[in-house]
Amino acid sequence: MTLLLLAEQVLNGLQFGVMLFLMSAGLTLVFGVMGLINLAHGSLYMIGAFAAAAVAAATGSFLLALAAALAAAAAAGALVEVIVIRRLYDRDHLDQVLATFALILIFSEGTRWLFGSFPLYLDTPGWLSGPVALPGGIQYPAYRLALIVVGLAIAGGLGLLIAKTRLGIRIRAGEADREMTAALGIDIRRLYTVVFALGAGLAGLAGAMVGAIQSVQVGMGEPVLILAFVVIVIGGIGSIRGALIGALLVGLTDTLGGLFLPRLFALVMEPSAAASAGSALASMLIYILMAAVLIFRPTGLYGAEA
Amino acid sequence: MSREGWFNLALAGLLVAFPLAAQAMDEPFLVTLATRAVILALAGVGLNLALGLGGLVSLGHAAFFGIGGYAMGILASHAQGYTPLAEWPLLIEGTKSMPVIWLVAVATSGLAALAIGALSLRTSGVYFIMITLAFGQMFFYFAISWPAYGGEDGLSIYVRNGFPGVNTLVPLPFYGLCLAVLALALMLCWQIARSPFGLALNAARQSAKRAETVGLSPYRLRLAAFTLSGAITGLAGALHADLNRFVSPAMLSWQTSGEIIVFVILGGTARLFGPVAGAGVFVALEHLLGELSDFWHIWLGLLLLAVVLFARGGVVGLVCGERRHG
């Protein structure tokens, strides 16, 4: 194996991780601030991708498509928060799981009804289609590199938003003590809607950006949602920094595991058996990572002690 | 007898009368539909033990359902291909005998539940939900990427497996067999709920701290309940695979986990017959709404949302009134 292949796979892992972060950030914020487990977060990811595909097909502009994804997912998030989610904050987790599971059914079938069962395609924009040469002679697709840069920029921006701005201070206050924050004259209901829409927008953006390298189809959100859960469990619920570290760990483990395990097994087995055993184990690797973190730190790497 | 008692009796009567009536009207398809409802009810009864009695919201029960299914698929496919499962260290042959398959399904899914439970129960609340979901997904991806037993395509068998003294190829006797298994599982759960173990588990659900101060170990109680719960759901998986003569990774998917929870909630959490009512309503809706529209999941979703937001006791709760204690 060449060093070049390794570098390329590390970049792929980073790209995967950064997109997972955009998903996990919203989930972990919503859980941290409102104490809500939201299974329908994957549907918002899907809504973003579909909105982007529709707008790109109509206007031909990728940037407009991204803006539409962000707006559509945030609007859908705000709407769902006001109509349904708001009633769930005081309920136990079981009710939250069920109601958001019901939302998945409604969103998925509704999208299938509107757009049909066939996957849509969203093309990467022309100005990002070629490869770029990186130092060390690595040729890497410009679009994927852009995803990494955009994702990391959003992660930084989100960190600043939480740490420095008035909204961020309110979010942290709401996380620490709901009643006290409300007593200080902050409209906590509106704050919750804003936080939910923010998380939804990030998920929609991720859906649109990933939709350009994969196909846009009904049910695309849930596998990513479950990976985002793994990320949050590893990073610790409610922690943005934990979500970033967890997302990068999961992204790199998954990508590099798929690369190395079959080769590792090939040292002791015949090639075909090694390929199947290696890929089977590689598909389980991130869950093994999660189990390992759980054994040593049941509340995740950056989670508060229970 | 309480209202719930009468309701349960009526439901049990319906379970016996419906397929007989369907048979008399020469509608074998309805018998198969009822068989599906009974098997899904069994899966729900398994989950209800963890969810209702133990308060453990597991979103990973598809793992046990699927493991039971694959236990049937793997054993039967080896038997029909006349290839042994293993030759070393000892010769293991496949089998087409239901009792053996059930035993293997219960043992393997119980073991998986023990392992998943031992790790997941170190946490609680929302972590537990996410972790069980993730472990379920782990088995799903493993089944897809492991090519020996069909991978993504799944595994089908030619003829339904046999049970001594019952012609399982005919819909009605097979229904009877499944109903008998469900009845046994319901009896077991009823006994467990009244046993010292069940009472202790209930206490641990209401307050882990108080249970601990009287010398109980919530972790151990929950692990035992989770294991038993997984084993019962695994048995349902073996029956479900036998009903369709087919097992595929879809049985292990997260949607299956969600649906098993839906049976329990739609019926009424922690009610003995809740999963039976829930699975019955689910299969009926699937059949009736599915005929009306290709997009029946929208209606299911809206109904579920309404049940969660407005009718928290499920079907049994609607008919029999609210529970006295929770």
Side-chain angles (χ1 to χ4, degrees), chain B residues 2 6 13 39 45 62 69 109 151-152 189 267 293 296 305 309 321:
Chain B
S2 70
W6 285 111
I39 293 171
V45 167
S109 52
E152 210 162 344
C189 284
S293 148
W296 74 278
L305 208 53
L309 292 180

Side-chain angles (χ1 to χ4, degrees), chain B residues 194-234:
Chain B
R194 302 185 321 155
S195 70
F197 166 68
L199 294 175
L201 185 65
N202 206 341
R205 176 178 64 84
Q206 292 180 21
S207 167
K209 235 180 211 136
R210 270 184 242 163
E212 236 164 326
T213 36
V214 293
L216 299 167
S217 161
Y219 180 81
R220 279 211 212 146
L221 289 165
R222 287 173 181 158
L223 188 57
F226 194 75
T227 305
L228 195 58
S229 157
I232 294 176
T233 303

Side-chain angles (χ1 to χ4, degrees), chain A residues 73-105:
Chain A
L79 194 70
V80 163
E81 201 273 343
V82 171
I83 297 176
V84 178
I85 302 286
R86 187 170 276 186
R87 299 165 204 275
L88 296 171
Y89 295 140
D90 301 334
R91 300 290 191 84
D92 58 16
H93 293 316
L94 179 60
D95 283 355
Q96 298 174 350
V97 162
L98 275 162
T100 53
F101 180 70
L103 286 177
I104 294 183
L105 295 178

